[in-house]
Amino acid sequence: MRKFLALLASFLFTVPTMYAQAPKRETSAELYHSVQKLNFLGKALYVAAHPDDENTRLISYLSNNVKATTAYLSLTRGDGGQNLIGPELRELLGVLRTQELLAARRIDGGQQFFSRANDFGYSKHPDETLKIWNKEEVLGDVVQIIRTFKPDVIINRFDHRSPGSTHGHHTSSAMLSFEAFDLVNDPKAYPEQLESTEVWQPQRLFFNTSWWFYGSQEKFEKADKSNMLDMDVGVFYPTLGVSNNEIASWASSQHLCQGFGRMTSRGGEKEYIEFLKGEFPKDKTNIFDGINTTWSRVVGGEAIGAILSKLEANFDFTNPATHLPQLLEAHKLISALSDVHWKTIKLQEIEAIIQSASGLFLEASTNTASTNPNNTTAVKIDVLNRSNATITLKSIGLNTIDASLSPKVLLENNKKYDFDLNLTVSASTNFTSPYWLSEKGTMGMYKVADKSLIGKPETPRAFYASFTLDFDGYEITFQKPVVYKYAKRDKGELYQNFEVLPEATARFDDKVVIFANGESKQIAITVKAHKEHIKGEVQFRYSKGWTVDQETKAFEIEKKGDEQIIVFTLSPPDHEDESYISPIIKIDGKLITKELVTIAYDHVPTQSVLLPSEAKVVRLNIQRLGENIGYIMGAGDDVPTSLKQIGYNVIPVDPSSIQAGSLDKFDAVVVGIRGYNVVKELQFKQRFILEYVQNGGNLIVQYNTAGRRSNQFENIAPYPLKLSRDRVTDEDSEVSILAKNHSLVNFPNKIVEKDFEGWVQERGLYFPNEWGAEFTPILAMNDIGESAKKGSLLVAPYGKGNYIYTGISFFRELPAGVSGAYKLFANMLSIGKENVEKKPAVKG
């Protein structure tokens, strides 16, 4: 039985996250759980800065134990971080992390909100953060989200009183929440919001503290806790067969691109929240003490509460459909409420419960993943009543013109009914894409023209089917999004969002093209069809000084989903230059300038992102020596592609294949970012890697993390080397060349101050702050108000070769086409090769 419960829990909490568009399947136990939540009218909002900042233990506890409607407000979408599972960075990483947060919320029972703040990378102080973010706009977003969600309780993840002690985004999230607590009830604050929402006053504000904020367990044990509440968030839920901390572990493990997959935990676990503002609860064990969380908080609600309390007390787990009369009566009373806020929320909850209790299956699906504006798609409708309840299907409709049926059929128990409708997409329908990426924003803020979208985690789905059902004389209309349903032989039945795409999109496979000399290059543009039988032409757009063999070329594609590659020959100018190229697709007088990026992982729904199609072209006067580069991938980066751009033969190295002499064929070996953190096998292969250096090879180790979450192998260098959390976040900070005569800044390219212009996001991170005398520091750099950091680039001879450690963010700079970064990296690869014969090319 215990094994069965474990398997059941695993099924209940993992299947919905892998295939999130699939119909929700509730057991009787989960249905009872939903009834308990329906009978609780209290709200809590958790506030922090990034995906993964949220405390899933507390969110799950409030949602599943207290039964409160609970949400997480992440001010950013995590765009500035790294990706451990794929190539997505910046805005694409933000899309992925958005979906991982939604996957986490589907498990812990919370909702998800975002502001327009863009995660621009690490910030050392909230003053910098709030300047880049535009404080007034982000504060307005927080105010609007609180006014719309109407939480009774707000909990900050971070301490607003500690600027400069942690990530500036962290402290800023708490500072903005603290300030918004008083503004939300002030009609003079952001008055334009009151056209669509109203003022609101939360009852209390907390800070989710812990020993970590005090520096040690010992200090926290001695701290005055008279102003704190504590909760045991390790509670066990018998009806679900799992504990709260197990649910929390599954939820946080959805942050896979950040390496948060982890073991589940069980047993008692305390969480502490420090009171900051509002009314302090008399009962320190109850975060909602003194707040009316019963149905009596709304006019006309007491009768609803009486019905639901009786239903909850006498719930029939073997046949929940017996409760349909009470549920329908409660639905009728909720529909009559004058409180629009709670009416809207509770109608959505009770309609989901009615559907589950009656075993109703309502689905609208297509056999295609996408359509185009001004097009028609067939939609298959499935209806099934799996109970003895008297239910009549009165009508079915799509939210498009003339797409409805009125079958008026009595739904027999367990008999499947199929219908067909045609969905006509108007010419004015917007394409499917994340709404916050539809217009170009700033470094710190996304631009959102439609203010009603602010706070929403994703773009609302465009198409829904409405099912009007008569329950023995009482009508309810249910809405279901139109989905794409299909099957794969190795995965079974799958669901995806049904999307609207242009007739065709075009992309450059290489987002940066480096011209290391004056020779022309062939530039491939891949045109993908999102409609059958399309033909048109592609115009190649380029800047003054560059030339192309032919400005326009025709294409024709028969099958939807097929691609055609069109090749143009681009010639660079004689001088160094950076500019952009882009394709324009012309079909029947329409111009399309977008590329489609698909983000597909099993743990989140597939995402379609439409972005401006362009590539950066860089004419460099760059010299390099060496030919064959071995690359050991770490946490994932696109540096190998960048090195190929300047003519290197880059060969992936499988760490398991490394043995004595196996690396000797390479002119240099590069270890990808966080290699010693994430590739455990490297610690067993380190002696062979260092032997390669000792015998005359060049080894470049890119940054590894240091700190409590790192799994760093200590002996990553042949000499003493201590990593720190030192970093330089200002990409425009001044850089000084310390070792002016060293070959790293002189051969084969002369590195000058200009080479540190035009960098993106940051200079670097996790610089060593202690190293052996064998190392030579090459550069010094620092953020404003800080001492110079000299550990960004260290080199030491080892035997006949050279060992280089660098925390410079080449993984960002090279894919962005930063000229100076290419020259510096080429010098690192060329070190010691002034008089070395060229090795023959090797195959991967």
Side-chain angles (χ1 to χ4, degrees):
M1 182 65 179
R2 185 175 301 171
K3 185 175 181 181
F4 169 76
L5 285 175
L7 289 171
L8 175 63
S10 176
F11 174 79
L12 293 178
F13 288 102
T14 59
V15 170
T17 67
M18 290 182 66
Y19 310 113
Q21 300 90 340
K24 185 178 180 181
R25 304 175 180 92
E26 278 194 322
T27 64
S28 293
E30 289 179 299
L31 184 57
Y32 174 71
H33 197 58
S34 297
V35 170
Q36 291 179 306
K37 290 186 177 184
L38 178 65
N39 213 13
F40 189 94
L41 278 72
K43 287 188 173 185
L45 179 66
Y46 199 87
V47 181
H50 309 108
D52 86 4
D53 285 345
E54 82 275 23
N55 186 337
T56 55
R57 295 183 301 274
L58 196 50
I59 292 174
S60 179
Y61 176 85
L62 292 172
S63 177
N64 297 302
N65 188 70
V66 180
K67 306 298 187 298
T69 303
T70 308
Y72 173 43
L73 167 56
S74 176
L75 293 193
T76 77
R77 297 175 185 267
D79 321 66
Q82 286 89 53
N83 185 355
L84 298 187
I85 61 174
E88 295 84 9
L89 290 174
R90 289 305 308 151
E91 66 271 11
L92 296 178
L93 180 60
V95 174
L96 173 56
R97 289 189 173 180
T98 292
Q99 291 303 317
E100 289 187 334
L101 270 178
L102 289 171
R105 297 294 80 78
R106 285 190 290 271
I107 293 175
D108 60 32
Q111 299 177 29
Q112 186 62 52
F113 299 115
F114 293 96
S115 80
R116 288 171 292 169
N118 187 352
D119 178 4
F120 55 84
Y122 191 86
S123 178
K124 294 180 177 178
H125 199 280
D127 288 349
E128 177 197 41
T129 299
L130 295 174
K131 181 180 179 181
I132 295 174
W133 273 357
N134 187 328
K135 178 191 173 183
E136 289 306 309
E137 289 190 5
V138 181
L139 178 60
D141 291 355
V142 176
V143 169
Q144 178 174 323
I145 291 164
I146 294 174
R147 284 174 170 172
T148 303
F149 183 61
K150 300 187 186 311
D152 301 296
V153 173
I154 298 176
I155 303 171
N156 292 341
R157 182 68 181 102
F158 300 103
D159 189 352
H160 68 285
R161 300 159 295 193
S162 57
S165 63
T166 182
H167 197 321
H169 297 181
H170 292 168
T171 310
S172 295
S173 70
M175 293 169 66
L176 293 171
S177 174
F178 189 86
E179 188 173 350
F181 185 86
D182 296 321
L183 291 178
V184 291
N185 199 32
D186 182 358
K188 295 179 181 178
Y190 302 98
E192 69 282 358
Q193 296 178 4
L194 302 181
E195 296 178 7
S196 57
T197 185
E198 58 188 2
V199 294
W200 176 253
Q201 185 56 61
Q203 296 300 300
R204 50 192 67 134
L205 174 68
F206 295 95
F207 158 46
N208 184 194
T209 190
S210 70
W211 69 264
W212 190 84
F213 292 96
Y214 284 75
S216 69
Q217 290 276 12
E218 183 180 2
K219 289 181 180 179
F220 186 61
E221 289 174 5
K222 295 178 181 179
D224 179 10
K225 298 183 178 62
S226 60
N227 206 34
M228 297 182 191
L229 278 64
D230 65 83
M231 293 158 279
D232 181 1
V233 296
V235 294
F236 179 69
Y237 303 125
T239 56
L240 299 180
V242 295
S243 62
N244 187 75
N245 33 18
E246 287 176 283
I247 296 174
S249 297
W250 293 327
S252 65
S253 288
Q254 300 309 300
H255 297 298
L256 294 183
C257 75
Q258 302 187 67
F260 267 51
R262 62 187 179 95
M263 299 285 286
T264 55
S265 62
R266 298 166 185 82
E269 193 168 359
K270 283 287 188 73
E271 282 290 341
Y272 294 86
I273 54 174
E274 177 187 350
F275 176 76
L276 298 177
K277 277 187 180 183
E279 298 178 1
F280 191 82
K282 294 179 181 179
D283 180 0
K284 291 178 64 176
T285 65
N286 181 5
I287 192 173
F288 284 95
D289 179 52
I291 300 172
N292 187 357
T293 59
T294 71
W295 275 98
S296 64
R297 80 180 290 172
V298 298
V299 176
E302 290 187 1
I304 301 168
I307 294 171
L308 296 177
S309 295
K310 186 176 180 181
L311 188 157
E312 185 180 336
N314 300 281
F315 189 81
D316 187 344
F317 286 87
T318 60
N319 186 17
T322 60
H323 298 300
L324 274 176
Q326 299 105 300
L327 290 169
L328 293 169
E329 181 61 27
H331 186 281
K332 187 183 299 183
L333 294 173
I334 295 172
S335 298
L337 289 175
S338 59
D339 188 320
V340 177
H341 179 73
W342 282 111
K343 172 182 173 179
T344 302
I345 294 167
K346 294 303 179 180
L347 276 178
Q348 185 178 7
E349 290 182 19
I350 198 169
E351 285 171 6
I353 290 171
I354 289 170
Q355 185 178 329
S356 293
S358 58
L360 274 170
F361 181 83
L362 308 171
E363 185 175 85
S365 63
T366 72
N367 62 0
T368 181
S370 66
T371 187
N372 319 108
N374 202 26
N375 199 11
T376 299
T377 301
V379 177
K380 183 174 180 290
I381 305 292
D382 291 332
V383 179
L384 188 63
N385 168 28
R386 291 168 290 190
S387 73
N388 289 319
T390 302
I391 305 174
T392 300
L393 175 63
K394 297 197 70 176
S395 65
I396 310 164
L398 299 174
N399 59 330
T400 57
I401 301 172
D402 299 327
S404 62
L405 294 170
S406 301
K408 297 180 181 178
V409 59
L410 180 66
L411 302 177
E412 298 179 28
N413 187 352
N414 212 30
K415 181 180 177 180
K416 186 167 174 276
Y417 296 85
D418 299 329
F419 306 92
D420 294 301
L421 285 171
N422 286 324
L423 188 156
T424 301
V425 182
S426 70
S428 61
T429 302
N430 292 329
F431 298 133
T432 302
S433 195
Y435 70 85
W436 62 96
L437 298 179
S438 61
E439 297 185 58
K440 187 174 180 61
T442 65
M443 176 182 174
M445 295 291 294
Y446 281 119
K447 186 176 180 180
V448 179
D450 184 354
K451 297 298 187 281
S452 68
L453 293 173
I454 292 174
K456 294 184 183 298
E458 55 185 347
T459 305
R461 308 315 300 173
F463 304 110
Y464 285 82
S466 298
F467 301 81
T468 300
L469 301 175
D470 184 308
F471 292 82
D472 200 17
Y474 181 68
E475 289 186 9
I476 299 177
T477 298
F478 299 87
Q479 283 195 332
K480 296 289 180 180
V482 177
V483 296
Y484 167 48
K485 184 169 72 171
Y486 64 107
K488 283 189 174 182
R489 296 183 66 177
D490 59 339
K491 292 186 177 181
E493 183 178 76
L494 299 171
Y495 285 78
Q496 280 184 213
N497 294 321
F498 177 64
E499 303 180 322
V500 181
L501 299 176
E503 293 172 326
T505 53
R507 72 175 188 273
F508 296 105
D509 287 336
D510 293 323
K511 298 306 178 187
V512 174
V513 184
I514 305 295
F515 291 76
N517 50 45
E519 294 180 3
S520 300
K521 283 194 175 186
Q522 290 190 324
I523 307 296
I525 296 176
T526 302
V527 178
K528 184 168 185 175
H530 306 293
K531 184 179 180 180
E532 301 285 323
H533 314 300
I534 64 167
K535 63 180 179 178
E537 58 184 22
V538 176
Q539 179 183 341
F540 193 99
R541 297 183 66 183
Y542 56 96
S543 300
K544 184 179 180 180
W546 297 75
T547 57
V548 69
D549 62 332
Q550 189 176 333
E551 293 195 6
T552 302
K553 295 187 179 183
F555 71 89
E556 184 171 356
I557 305 175
E558 285 298 312
K559 296 283 188 180
K560 179 179 179 179
D562 282 354
E563 297 179 339
Q564 183 176 335
I565 297 175
I566 301 171
V567 179
F568 293 83
T569 301
L570 182 66
S571 300
D574 295 331
H575 54 84
E576 289 195 343
D577 184 72
E578 295 184 7
S579 62
Y580 289 87
I581 55 176
S582 60
I584 300 177
I585 297 176
K586 298 180 179 180
I587 301 176
D588 297 329
K590 288 178 284 188
L591 305 181
I592 303 170
T593 60
K594 300 289 187 182
E595 72 167 307
L596 173 66
V597 181
T598 301
I599 302 175
Y601 295 95
D602 281 346
H603 67 301
V604 296
T606 298
Q607 299 296 298
S608 293
V609 185
L610 291 169
L611 297 173
S613 183
E614 64 178 15
K616 185 177 183 180
V617 288
V618 181
R619 169 68 168 95
L620 272 179
N621 288 320
I622 188 172
Q623 304 296 320
R624 64 175 183 83
L625 277 82
E627 183 73 21
N628 305 309
I629 307 300
Y631 204 94
I632 303 171
M633 289 300 297
D637 60 59
D638 207 27
V639 171
T641 300
S642 300
L643 298 182
K644 291 177 184 178
Q645 289 272 7
I646 55 174
Y648 281 107
N649 180 32
V650 184
I651 309 298
V653 176
D654 179 358
S656 64
S657 69
I658 298 174
Q659 54 187 309
S662 65
L663 301 176
D664 291 348
K665 59 189 175 183
F666 298 117
D667 295 293
V669 172
V670 182
V671 180
I673 60 173
R674 298 180 64 183
Y676 289 95
N677 295 139
V678 300
V679 184
K680 291 183 178 179
E681 194 156 14
L682 283 181
Q683 62 182 291
F684 306 110
K685 302 295 184 175
Q686 182 71 347
R687 64 188 179 95
F688 300 126
I689 296 173
L690 293 182
E691 281 177 8
Y692 159 75
V693 182
Q694 200 167 30
N695 292 331
N698 288 334
L699 177 66
I700 299 171
V701 177
Q702 297 180 83
Y703 95 91
N704 283 262
T705 59
R708 59 191 177 97
R709 290 181 180 172
S710 300
N711 298 310
Q712 183 195 319
F713 169 53
E714 291 184 1
N715 300 315
I716 64 173
Y719 308 115
L721 184 71
K722 182 179 179 181
L723 303 187
S724 73
R725 300 180 70 85
D726 287 351
R727 61 202 303 162
V728 176
T729 61
D730 182 359
E731 64 273 23
D732 296 319
S733 64
E734 184 179 351
V735 177
S736 300
I737 299 175
L738 298 175
K740 297 183 183 298
N741 296 321
H742 200 283
S743 63
L744 279 189
V745 290
N746 289 285
F747 177 81
N749 303 286
K750 179 71 174 178
I751 303 298
V752 296
E753 289 183 6
K754 189 176 185 299
D755 290 312
F756 296 99
E757 295 177 3
W759 288 49
V760 298
Q761 186 164 328
E762 62 193 355
R763 291 294 189 194
L765 62 171
Y766 293 99
F767 298 162
N769 60 356
E770 295 180 22
W771 51 84
E774 297 85 354
F775 284 103
T776 299
I778 304 298
L779 305 172
M781 56 188 72
N782 59 277
D783 286 321
I784 295 175
E786 295 187 355
S787 60
K789 306 294 185 291
K790 300 180 180 180
S792 63
L793 179 57
L794 301 172
V795 59
Y798 183 63
K800 298 177 182 179
N802 294 278
Y803 177 96
I804 297 174
Y805 184 91
T806 179
I808 294 173
S809 59
F810 287 106
F811 72 101
R812 296 193 192 280
E813 311 311 324
L814 298 184
V818 177
S819 301
Y822 272 93
K823 292 180 180 179
L824 184 54
F825 210 99
N827 283 10
M828 291 159 55
L829 294 171
S830 304
I831 188 171
K833 291 184 168 51
E834 292 89 338
N835 301 307
V836 176
E837 288 187 22
K838 182 178 179 181
K839 293 182 181 180
V842 296
K843 295 181 179 180

